[in-house]
């Protein structure tokens, strides 16, 4: 369902291998990128976004966390936009 969300510019699925101390508290991360917060909010309200949200009910309670964040790309030793 996430694939059909309007306005997404990039998706990444990350398989977490562990931490320096051993096992990680998560096993998989899905990152979905949008140009800005209004586009993300519109995508979440869309039919595709609602369907993706409903799919979260298929996971055991307490096993999914959602975060909204801004990404600043590194350019050499400088962080752009910070």
């Amino acid at each position: 369902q996430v694939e059909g969300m309007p306005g997404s510019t990039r998706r990444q699925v990350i398989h977490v291998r562990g931490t320096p101390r051993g096992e990680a508290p998560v096993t998989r991360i899905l990152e979905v990128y949008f140009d800005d917060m209004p586009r993300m909010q519109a995508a979440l309200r869309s039919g595709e976004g609602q369907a993706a949200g409903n799919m979260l009910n298929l996971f055991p309670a307490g096993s999914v966390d959602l975060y909204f964040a801004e990404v600043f790309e590194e350019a050499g030793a400088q962080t752009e936009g910070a």
Side-chain angles (χ1 to χ4, degrees):
Q1 307 299 355
V2 172
E3 297 84 7
M5 288 176 64
S8 67
T9 59
R10 177 176 163 197
R11 284 181 293 119
Q12 285 186 191
V13 177
I14 301 158
H15 180 79
V16 179
R17 301 275 182 203
T19 73
R21 294 181 183 217
E23 283 194 39
V26 299
T27 56
R28 200 166 280 133
I29 299 169
L30 171 64
E31 294 181 350
V32 183
Y33 293 80
F34 296 88
D35 287 336
D36 53 37
M37 196 70 141
R39 284 189 175 102
M40 182 195 71
Q41 291 168 334
L44 292 173
R45 287 190 298 266
S46 72
E48 295 88 346
Q50 294 296 303
N54 288 334
M55 289 195 69
L56 296 176
N57 294 320
L58 300 175
F59 293 92
S63 68
V64 175
D65 293 314
L66 300 176
Y67 299 93
F68 302 115
E70 289 185 86
V71 174
F72 298 97
E73 297 289 338
E74 292 284 326
Q78 300 292 325
T79 301
E80 295 178 16

